[in-house]
């Protein structure tokens, strides 16, 4: 029986994939094709706990998808695939939900390329390669931006000349929407609350990081903006900074606009401030060994996060729960402890034992019984894409 969903997440030089049964939620295989287009291109897959690496020298997305197809055939999974679900980064204002792929959908994704010049072309390459290699299978597009389309204009408009919005689509979009949707459902289920009656602050803290205010199941504000550079401090991204940094660094260092953008996207955040690593665990280890720079970096990370969470609370009016997710949110008791303490102004009281317990896959509440709830919930964007794709082909 064909019931499984193949999930494809195409980046500019990589492709993540997984095969999931949306009913049992079992993941049969997952993998990553990376360094696409280079002599070192490989597909690394994990099947029944075993890792396999296949060389696909010089192959790009098309060749990588053909390679994934071979892997699925070899593992006896190819004939179980009912549909392909694609992660698409930017759906602009055109997409408020996931959709089956058709010519007009591809055109609309292509129209959003100016908003995500690195990501959307790769997403389209993935869709087209999957159409070629999996002919006849339905394809679904699941957008990072769609969840936030319910934001009110007061949250998404920037105070710049209005015609930039009407003519160019310059506004806040927000990202990580697939994760926010998954977390909203899971957190409400864990809390035994109705989604339609719950006010959530969600912090998705991975290499990229953002936070969102979710009121009664709908996104009402978020920290990422026109692009994923805005908002929280991240692994290598600065998050929100004074925009005049551009002219300052041009004048002081002779940088071009692209060079400043590259510094803010690739050399800032945890990496730039700590001068140690973009990886939170490595910065925490350095802090534990006494590095003052690492301690300062973690202080800035938590202060920025708490301050922006407090700002998002304005869009909610009340906080029923603060949810931590992503690699850092799910594992770092230190970041959670500092942030919950900084948010004591809202009445949060950390339970240290619970905070230490909810790590490495354990989920649940980390606050004392009095006061609002802070909790840890594991995200699973692939499963969300599988669920969406399955419901679209029903
Ligand atoms: P991505 O955004 O690439 O999906 P993840 O959600 O996997 O990233 O998060 C990666 C981040 O999670 C890294 O900064 C990593 O150091 C951090 N992380 C993972 N485990 C821990 C841990 N035990 N303590 C602190 N940080 C952790």
């Amino acid at each position: 029986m064909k019931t499984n969903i193949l999930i494809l997440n195409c980046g500019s030089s990589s492709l993540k994939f997984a095969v999931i049964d949306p009913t049992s939620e079992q993941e049969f295989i997952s993998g990553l094709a990376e360094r696409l287009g280079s002599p070192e291109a490989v597909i690394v897959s994990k099947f029944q706990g075993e890792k396999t690496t296949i060389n696909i020298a010089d192959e790009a997305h098309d060749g990588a998808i053909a390679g994934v197809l071979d892997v699925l055939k070899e593992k006896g999974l190819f004939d179980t695939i009912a549909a392909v679900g694609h992660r698409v980064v930017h759906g602009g204002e055109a997409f408020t939900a996931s959709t089956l792929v058709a010519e007009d959908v591809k055109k609309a994704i292509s129209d959003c390329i100016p908003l995500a010049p690195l990501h959307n072309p790769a997403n389209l390459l993935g869709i087209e390669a999957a159409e070629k290699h999996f002919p006849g299978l339905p394809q679904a597009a699941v957008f990072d931006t769609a969840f936030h389309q319910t934001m009110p204009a007061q949250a998404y408009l920037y105070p710049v000349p209005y015609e930039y919005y009407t003519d160019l689509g310059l506004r806040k979009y927000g990202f990580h929407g697939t994760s926010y949707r998954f977390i909203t459902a899971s957190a409400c289920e864990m809390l035994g609350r109705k989604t339609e009656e719950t006010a959530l602050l969600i912090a998705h803290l991975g290499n990229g990081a953002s936070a969102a205010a979710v009121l009664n199941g709908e996104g009402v504000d978020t920290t990422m903006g026109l692009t994923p550079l805005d908002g929280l401090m991240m692994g290598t991204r600065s998050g929100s900074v004074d925009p005049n940094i551009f002219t300052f660094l041009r004048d002081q260092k002779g940088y071009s606009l692209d060079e400043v953008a590259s510094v803010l996207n690739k050399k800032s955040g945890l990496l730039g401030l700590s001068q140690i690593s973009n990886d939170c665990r490595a910065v925490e280890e350095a802090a534990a060994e006494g590095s003052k720079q690492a301690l300062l970096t973690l202080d800035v990370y938590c202060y920025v996060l708490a301050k922006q969470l407090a700002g998002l609370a304005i869009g909610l009016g009340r906080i029923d729960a603060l949810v931590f997710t992503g690699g850092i949110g799910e594992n770092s008791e230190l970041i959670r402890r500092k942030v919950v303490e900084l948010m004591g102004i809202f009445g949060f009281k950390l339970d240290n034992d619970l905070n230490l317990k909810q790590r490495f896959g354990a989920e649940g509440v980390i606050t004392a019984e009095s006061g609002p709830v802070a909790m840890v919930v594991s995200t699973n964007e692939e499963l969300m894409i599988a669920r969406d794709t399955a419901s679209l082909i029903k």
Side-chain angles (χ1 to χ4, degrees), residues 7 18 20-21 25-27 30 142 177-184 186 204 325-326 330 363 377-388:
I7 293 108
I20 294 180
D21 176 345
E25 308 201 333
Q26 188 181 351
E27 184 178 87
S30 64
V142 179
T178 310
S179 175
Y180 289 126
R181 220 148 36 90
F182 184 87
I183 293 296
T184 300
S186 294
H204 175 112
T325 192
E330 290 168 34
E363 303 173 288
V377 180
S378 305
T379 196
N380 192 336
E381 288 161 283
E382 290 75 21
L383 178 56
M384 194 73 235
I385 294 174
R387 284 182 190 163
D388 276 8

Side-chain angles (χ1 to χ4, degrees), residues 205-208 270 278-282 284 326-328 331-332 360:
L205 311 175
N207 283 310
L270 290 171
N278 65 310
D279 189 283
C280 187
R281 207 170 354 184
E284 285 190 21
I328 297 172
N331 298 300
S332 174
F360 317 128

